[in-house]
Amino acid sequence: MGYSLLFVLLLLSIFIKLCLAISLPPIEEQERDKITHLPGQPKNVGFAQYSGYVTVNEQAGRALFYWLIESPASRGPESRPLVLWLNGGPGCSSIAYGATEEIGPFRISSDGKSLYLNPYAWNNLANILFLESPAGVGFSYSNETSDLYTAGDQRTAEDAYTFLVNWFERFPQYKYRDFYIAGESYAGHYVPQLAQLVYQKNKGVQKPTINLKGFMVGNAVTDDYNDYVGTFEYWWTHGLISDSSYKMLQMACNFGSSQHPSMQCKEALRDAVLEQGNIDPYSIYTRPCNDTASLKHSLGGRYPWMSRAYDPCTERYSASYFNHPEVQKALHANVTNIPYSWKTCSGIVGDNWADSPLSMLPIYQELIGAGLKIWVYSGDTDSVVPVTATRYSIDALKLPTITNWYPWYDNGKVGGWSQVYEGLTLVTVTGAGHEVPLHRPRQAFILFRSFLENKPMPS
């Protein structure tokens, strides 16, 4: 009798282990990821939110953190497209910037505890999926510490693709839905690279699960040669540097012929930055937030003028909010108790960035040829990846013009300018800095709506 009981218990323990080993069905996984309420969230929020982890590499234990914010129920989320948003750095969090400073429905109050609504949130037009990428950024993690020191463009794209494949299994209702990728700054690399990977994997597939329709990037790192030329020209034409510094930069900086600038170029850049003085380079006409040590974006090795991060005082609110244990619990975040606090940008990931091609233009040519919808926008008061750099990069594609440069309007006022090329639309947003939706939320909303509807900017 004792033996049979022991046998039953043994079978029971094997059964329990097998049950634990089997992953939950998608609907149960979704329910597990559903956010019931965020601390400090306003009342009567009319949209569903989900967040959690998707493993992208079992062996290394790499898992990426996502936050899905659906369209309000009143706007029919089931019929709206899905948009993946990525921030750059490399090493900066899409939760810190995209979700809570730019296009998400919530803004964080200065107390670092409460949230208030953004009337121009992009989830009014689409279901928005924010991803902290690569592993080591924000809540995304790896069990192999070396992964944080060896991140680069290729692995970031591959992991993001694996994330999407696995995420669509968890959220099958989004399979075959119109899908777009958007982002800014160094996501000028992430976005086209991921779009290229999705496009190539979809080739020959009758009805692809990831139904990629196009992409959109803002103030995007695109092509080293044109980024250097256009940036120095912007500094000079906007009166930020002297004639002699401009000439020295043109002479000393070899404009993207190698991954890292020469010592002579670095010295010229240092002198130019000193001449610019205490401005916010990410938004040259707004006051810098002086009473905090500026965070460091990690592009400093490749683009030394980018080493001063954009800090309009909002970054510290997110650092405060997302480090609250109850916020992490509500988001199903930090489940492994990562041994460091959540940061808006990871210096380790960015400072040790491994691979970064000099140009994205060949990818643009491939995807324009594939017929994807591609929009590039630029806030015109950003001196870090300025509008001149973007215009030089697009000019290098030698695309035929369909609609020449024209002003677009919002309520009778010029909101910026646009030019429509064969296969690509360029839009500028007047008075906007590096983070266009932060500085010009209404105009950015109009831009996003026009992109989704594939209509030219209102003239």
Side-chain angles (χ1 to χ4, degrees), residues 75 121 132 153 284 304 328 337 348 404 428 434 455 457:
R75 291 176 179 261
E132 291 196 303
D153 280 21
I284 64 173
Q328 295 182 359
N337 293 318
I348 293 172
N404 205 14
T428 75
H434 192 65
K455 290 179 179 171
M457 296 300 288

Side-chain angles (χ1 to χ4, degrees), residues 151-268:
D153 280 21
Q154 189 177 342
R155 194 170 75 207
T156 299
E158 288 166 357
D159 279 2
Y161 179 77
T162 304
F163 164 84
L164 285 174
V165 170
N166 294 341
W167 188 88
F168 277 104
E169 287 306 312
R170 191 177 299 178
F171 287 84
Q173 69 268 36
Y174 282 102
K175 287 182 177 182
Y176 319 113
R177 189 90 59 99
D178 282 3
F179 175 67
Y180 298 96
I181 310 171
E184 73 188 11
S185 194
Y186 196 79
H189 277 217
Y190 298 163
V191 171
Q193 285 167 337
L194 178 57
Q196 180 190 41
L197 197 51
V198 173
Y199 165 69
Q200 289 174 347
K201 299 270 191 187
N202 281 350
K203 268 185 181 171
V205 179
Q206 198 83 45
K207 194 182 178 189
T209 301
I210 307 174
N211 184 21
L212 179 66
K213 294 295 185 185
F215 72 81
M216 177 165 74
V217 290
N219 291 77
V221 176
T222 304
D223 175 90
D224 280 18
Y225 175 82
N226 292 298
D227 285 345
Y228 269 65
V229 172
T231 298
F232 303 153
E233 186 176 303
Y234 185 94
W235 292 353
W236 183 64
T237 54
H238 285 73
L240 302 180
I241 59 170
S242 64
D243 296 359
S244 57
S245 273
Y246 183 45
K247 283 173 188 151
M248 184 54 76
L249 288 167
Q250 288 175 303
M251 264 180 359
C253 297
N254 56 9
F255 300 132
S257 63
S258 72
Q259 286 283 41
H260 295 285
S262 66
M263 278 312 296
Q264 195 186 8
C265 174
K266 283 183 176 174
E267 281 171 24

